[in-house]
Amino acid sequence: MNPVRIAVLGCGTVGTEVVRLLHEQAADLTARIGAPLQLVGVAVRRLSRDRGDLPVDPDLFTTDALGLVKRDDVDIVVEVVGGIEPARTWLVEALRAGKSVVTANKALLAEDGATLHAAAVDGRADLYYEAAVAGAIPLLRPLRESLHGDRITRVTGIVNGTTNFILSSMDETGVGFSEALDQATALGYAEADPTADVEGFDAAAKAAILASLAFHTRVRAADVHREGITEVSAADMASAKAMGCTIKLLCITESSGDAVSVRVHPAMIPRTHPLASVGGAFNAVFVEAQAAGQLMFYGQGAGGAPTASAVLGDIVAVARNRLAGVRAASESAYADLRIRPIGEATTRYHISLDVADRAGVLAAVAGVFAAHGVSIATVHQSGRGNEAVLVIVTHRATDAALAATVEELRALDIVRSVASVLRVEGE
Ligand code: NDP
Ligand code: HSE
C-alpha cells in the first residue's frame, strides 16, 4: 500500500506530541487507516532549537514551510503553528492544490475561516479542525456530523482552561484575580503574556467556531461580544458563593428565529449547574438541541498530548477519505442568520453598588431600575458607617436596558461607585 504522506508545520507544544504519536502509534494507525502514514517534513522557525529525544530524522526539519507545503510528495498538511499569517497563505496553498489540511488554529478559523473553506472547495480537499476548540474533547465532529439531523438551540461552554483555572482557585481559596493569575503562571497554565486568555480573545475565537457550526452561519471573532475576567474580584466571588453560585468565563451562543447571538463573559452560575463543577484547567461544553435534549462534553481543553489526540483523529479521518477518494461535506453556512447585537441579549444581572447610607437611597436606586423596565428580584444591604454596599439581583432584562440603568446609577450622587456588574446564567 502506498503511504499517505504528511507534512507537519510547527513542532512546539502541540506539534511535538503530534510527531511523537505518529511515531509511537504507527502500527495501529496503519491498521486503522489501511495504509501507513509517512512523515515527510516538519517546518519550524529555529532549526537550532533543542527538540530532546523527538523520534524524527533531523534531515526532515526545514524553516521553509511554504516550500514544504508545495512539495509534490505531500498529501496532508498539519498546521500547528498558529496565528493568521503566514498560516493562511500555507493552508490556502495546500487546499487549492488538493492537499487535505488538519489545523488547530482557532485564531485563523475565527478570523477568516471563509477563505479556508472556499480554498477547500476549490481544491476538492478536506479541512478538519477538531483541535481548535476544547483540545482533546470530541466536540466539533458531533456538531458537524452527529447532530446534523437535529436543531441546536444553545451552546454554553467553558472553553478556556487558563481562565477556568484562575476562577476555580479564586473560588476555592478566596484569593483575588492577580494572585490567582500568578499561581496559574507559576504552574505553567497561563502564558507569559496571558492577554489572549484573561481578556477572553481565545474563548471568543472558539465561540465563533462553535456558533458557525451549531447554527450554519458564518460567525467571526469580531461578531462575538467579549469581556474578560480581569475585573472579577474576590468580593464578587464571595457574593456568588453567598447566592449558591460560582463564577465562570462562559461562551454562550444561541439562536431563536432569524438571529444568532454569541457572547463571552464571566457569569455567575448556580453550583447545581453541570458547568459549575468543572474545575481547574478543564473545559466543558453544554449543548441543548431540540430532539436530543441536553448533552455535556467534558475533558482536557489544552496541552500538547490532549490536543495532539484531536489532531491525530483528524489525520486518520482525512487519510481514510483520501484512500476512499472522497472528501467530507463542505462548510454548512446556508442559514446565514443575522448576528444579534449584545443589547438584545436577555439574562439576569448581579449589581454591586457602594452607596451613601441615608434615607431615600434605596428608593432612588430602585427608581432607576424601574425607569428602565428592569425588575429587581432581590436586594441585600450591608452597612459600614455612613456608607453601605447594595447587592441587587434582577429578573431577566435586556443588556441594553441594564446598561442604561447602570449609566444612570453612576450619575447619582448617592452612588459612590458601581463596584461590579455580572450576568447570572444557567437558572
Ligand atoms: P507553540 O508556540 O508551542 O509552537 C509553535 C511552533 O510553530 C514552533 O515549533 C515554532 O517553531 C513553529 N513556528 C513558528 N513560526 C513559524 C514559521 N514562520 N515557520 C515555521 N514554523 C514556525 O504553539 P502551540 O503548539 O502551543 O500551538 C500551536 C497551535 O495549536 C496554535 O494554533 C494554538 O492556538 C493551537 N492550540 C494549542 C493548544 C495548546 O494547548 N498549546 C490547544 C489547542 C490549540 P520553533 O519550534 O522553531 O520555535
Ligand atoms: N490558552 C488556551 C487555554 C489553550 O487556556 O485554554 C487551549 O486553546
Side-chain angles (χ1 to χ4, degrees):
M1 200 42 132
N2 289 334
V4 179
R5 298 157 302 180
I6 300 182
V8 176
L9 313 182
C11 194
T13 305
V14 180
T16 297
E17 296 307 314
V18 168
V19 166
R20 195 184 303 283
L21 284 177
L22 281 172
H23 177 78
E24 287 173 1
Q25 318 265 33
D28 284 329
L29 291 169
T30 302
R32 290 171 198 172
I33 293 166
L37 297 175
Q38 183 189 353
L39 183 64
V40 296
V42 182
V44 293
R45 188 174 35 193
R46 296 162 291 175
L47 286 176
S48 58
R49 183 174 173 183
D50 179 11
R51 305 202 185 260
D53 61 352
L54 200 62
V56 177
D57 177 350
D59 290 343
L60 292 185
F61 286 101
T62 173
T63 53
D64 181 9
L66 186 58
L68 176 57
V69 166
K70 286 181 170 175
R71 268 168 46 179
D72 289 337
D73 64 343
V74 170
D75 301 308
I76 298 175
V77 172
V78 176
E79 186 265 314
V80 280
V81 171
I84 309 301
E85 286 293 354
R88 174 169 47 199
T89 301
W90 301 334
L91 299 193
V92 167
E93 172 71 33
L95 291 163
R96 287 203 182 128
K99 295 168 188 180
S100 312
V101 163
V102 173
T103 178
N105 193 336
K106 58 218 161 192
L108 175 55
L109 286 156
E111 167 78 17
D112 194 11
T115 296
L116 299 187
H117 285 293
V121 170
D122 287 350
R124 298 196 47 72
D126 271 335
L127 171 62
Y128 275 54
Y129 46 96
E130 182 65 62
V133 182
I137 306 174
L139 175 63
L140 303 193
R141 193 136 341 135
L143 289 180
R144 78 179 197 176
E145 292 179 12
S146 320
L147 288 164
H148 252 202
D150 206 337
R151 185 182 289 270
I152 294 171
T153 51
R154 185 174 160 105
V155 179
T156 311
I158 295 170
V159 292
N160 183 269
T162 306
T163 47
N164 202 51
F165 180 89
I166 292 170
L167 291 171
S168 298
S169 59
M170 289 174 71
D171 183 52
E172 283 157 22
T173 64
V175 296
F177 169 77
S178 302
E179 212 177 315
L181 172 60
D182 288 346
Q183 281 173 9
T185 309
L187 291 169
Y189 288 106
E191 301 202 14
D193 177 2
T195 311
D197 293 319
V198 300
E199 295 292 358
F201 290 102
D202 176 78
K206 293 166 179 169
I209 296 168
L210 289 176
S212 302
L213 289 172
F215 302 117
H216 306 271
T217 293
R218 276 190 189 141
V219 180
R220 302 178 60 210
D223 297 322
V224 181
H225 173 82
R226 177 193 53 77
E227 295 168 29
I229 64 163
T230 55
E231 303 292 316
V232 177
S233 65
D236 290 332
M237 195 59 91
S239 194
K241 272 188 168 176
M243 286 171 55
C245 292
T246 187
I247 299 174
K248 296 291 186 188
L249 181 71
L250 295 184
C251 111
I252 301 174
T253 177
E254 53 200 339
S255 165
S256 53
D258 67 337
V260 54
S261 71
V262 201
R263 50 201 166 100
V264 165
H265 52 67
M268 291 188 180
I269 53 171
R271 287 192 184 272
T272 49
H273 191 282
L275 290 177
S277 57
V278 177
F282 277 81
N283 283 193
V285 177
F286 193 65
V287 178
E288 294 166 70
Q290 227 166 52
Q294 299 179 332
L295 304 162
M296 175 101 159
F297 299 82
Y298 170 84
Q300 296 195 63
T307 308
S309 165
V311 171
L312 262 287
D314 281 354
I315 291 174
V316 170
V318 302
R320 283 181 180 148
N321 286 352
R322 291 191 79 81
L323 291 176
V326 297
R327 65 182 285 264
S330 304
E331 175 197 26
S332 173
Y334 72 92
D336 197 20
L337 300 177
R338 172 176 77 90
I339 306 295
R340 196 187 293 283
I342 185 65
E344 294 177 20
T346 67
T347 190
R348 302 177 64 207
Y349 302 87
H350 171 282
I351 301 115
S352 180
L353 305 172
D354 292 325
V355 296
D357 193 0
R358 59 171 192 258
V361 169
L362 196 54
V365 167
V368 175
F369 280 81
H372 294 282
V374 180
S375 174
I376 292 173
T378 62
V379 180
H380 180 265
Q381 177 173 329
S382 51
R384 35 167 208 236
N386 293 331
E387 308 220 326
V389 175
L390 271 184
V391 174
I392 296 174
V393 179
T394 73
H395 288 296
R396 289 182 78 83
T398 64
D399 210 272
L402 197 279
T405 306
V406 169
E407 196 183 328
E408 197 173 327
L409 287 170
R410 283 207 168 102
L412 291 184
D413 61 353
I414 50 165
V415 174
R416 307 273 187 256
S417 73
V418 178
S420 82
V421 178
L422 278 164
R423 295 173 181 83
V424 183
E425 300 282 347
E427 289 186 312

